[in-house]
Amino acid sequence: MSAETTGSNQTLLDVRDLVVSYDGIKALQGVSFAVEQGKIVTLIGANGAGKTSILRAVSGLVSYNGAIRFEGQDLKRIPAHRIVALGIAQVPEGRGIFGNLTVLENLRLATWQRTDKAEIETDYERVFQTFPRLKERQHQASGTLSGGEQQMLAVGRALMSRGRLMLLDEPSMGLSPRLVQDIFRIIQDINQAGITILLVEQNANMALRIASRAYVLETGSITLSGTGAELLGDPRIKEAYLGA
């Protein structure tokens, strides 16, 4: 993949030779991949494979060697809050909501860098249309929401930042099978509305079904890549991740 285009689609995020270390131990060892604009790209792999470290590096939350470019701009020396302003929103593993604040206050936090007040009001309505339960509970303390509702709030908060790239870290973790179906449907809806998705997910079956491209990480390196459909049908993936 070139750093500028892949086929007829522009590369929104380009990661090259990414190395992340914690206390001298390499969590990522020269990872390279690209995310095309308008696509869903998924990273799958076992716990500890390095998936979350990739998202943290893209968000500016860990130091790294290598290069990460968003819309051609090198992110290396840009602080995390400026990366959000550039158009990258992250939904962290564990949701990261503020339980003592209401639903509405959590959503409002994501708008602190925005000055387009009229558009902010429009985006509140957009979030509430996507997640009607959040509208019903907008004045409720977020810590009293169910796990599924908290995940909806985390995604809604990312939408409020108006990012063009959304990083999703284990969005289905801890949810019932029915809510997992709901969350993946919503991810597809968000993507169809024009937001590019980079998805880290343990539920490989669901992730590969919605991804246009997928990468498999093992001990800090990419070992397989292809379309979601190709990896879904790969015997090695079936044996290792799909329980077949």
Side-chain angles (χ1 to χ4, degrees):
M1 295 181 187
S2 81
E4 296 302 322
T5 58
T6 306
S8 61
N9 295 306
Q10 183 178 357
T11 294
L12 190 67
L13 181 73
D14 192 68
V15 176
R16 287 288 168 263
D17 303 318
L18 182 63
V19 177
V20 172
S21 299
Y22 301 103
D23 297 324
I25 299 171
K26 287 184 178 178
L28 295 172
Q29 307 184 58
V31 168
S32 298
F33 67 96
V35 178
E36 291 179 6
Q37 187 169 329
K39 303 293 187 180
I40 298 176
V41 173
T42 191
L43 307 171
I44 65 172
N47 282 332
K51 306 183 300 297
T52 294
S53 292
I54 291 175
L55 299 191
R56 290 176 60 80
V58 173
S59 293
L61 298 175
V62 294
S63 59
Y64 59 87
N65 291 320
I68 301 175
R69 293 182 177 86
F70 178 66
E71 296 183 320
Q73 182 172 356
D74 190 345
L75 300 183
K76 186 120 186 197
R77 291 174 179 80
I78 299 178
H81 71 279
R82 291 298 306 154
I83 289 175
V84 174
L86 288 175
I88 299 177
Q90 182 166 354
V91 180
E93 181 181 351
R95 295 139 197 169
I97 64 166
F98 296 91
N100 60 322
L101 300 181
T102 67
V103 167
L104 193 58
E105 287 168 338
N106 269 273
L107 295 176
R108 189 175 294 128
L109 282 175
T111 69
W112 70 276
Q113 296 190 91
R114 294 178 57 181
T115 57
D116 51 340
K117 291 186 179 179
E119 293 299 318
I120 288 173
E121 293 304 316
T122 299
D123 287 346
Y124 283 132
E125 287 309 309
R126 176 189 180 198
V127 169
F128 290 146
Q129 285 174 6
T130 304
F131 302 109
R133 273 182 282 181
L134 294 185
K135 185 170 186 177
E136 296 169 7
R137 292 159 172 74
Q138 60 182 297
H139 301 299
Q140 186 173 322
S142 300
T144 65
L145 300 177
S146 70
E149 290 162 351
Q150 290 184 9
Q151 188 60 269
M152 292 172 192
L153 177 56
V155 174
R157 187 177 56 188
L159 287 172
M160 290 300 300
S161 72
R162 280 257 174 136
R164 295 182 299 287
L165 173 65
M166 185 179 290
L167 312 178
L168 288 160
D169 195 353
E170 305 287 4
S172 76
M173 182 178 288
L175 301 185
S176 69
R178 181 182 61 80
L179 284 176
V180 169
Q181 296 281 346
D182 289 345
I183 285 293
F184 275 91
R185 175 184 53 77
I186 288 163
I187 291 169
Q188 289 179 287
D189 290 345
I190 290 169
N191 176 246
Q192 288 165 9
I195 297 175
T196 304
I197 304 286
L198 178 57
L199 170 66
V200 161
E201 180 55 59
Q202 288 260 341
N203 190 329
N205 183 45
M206 293 292 291
L208 293 175
R209 288 182 185 280
I210 68 169
S212 58
R213 187 136 196 99
Y215 299 87
V216 179
L217 267 85
E218 294 179 9
T219 58
S221 300
I222 291 175
T223 56
L224 282 172
S225 66
T227 67
E230 286 169 348
L231 294 192
L232 198 58
D234 190 308
R236 294 167 292 182
I237 299 300
K238 288 181 176 180
E239 181 179 357
Y241 302 106
L242 304 181

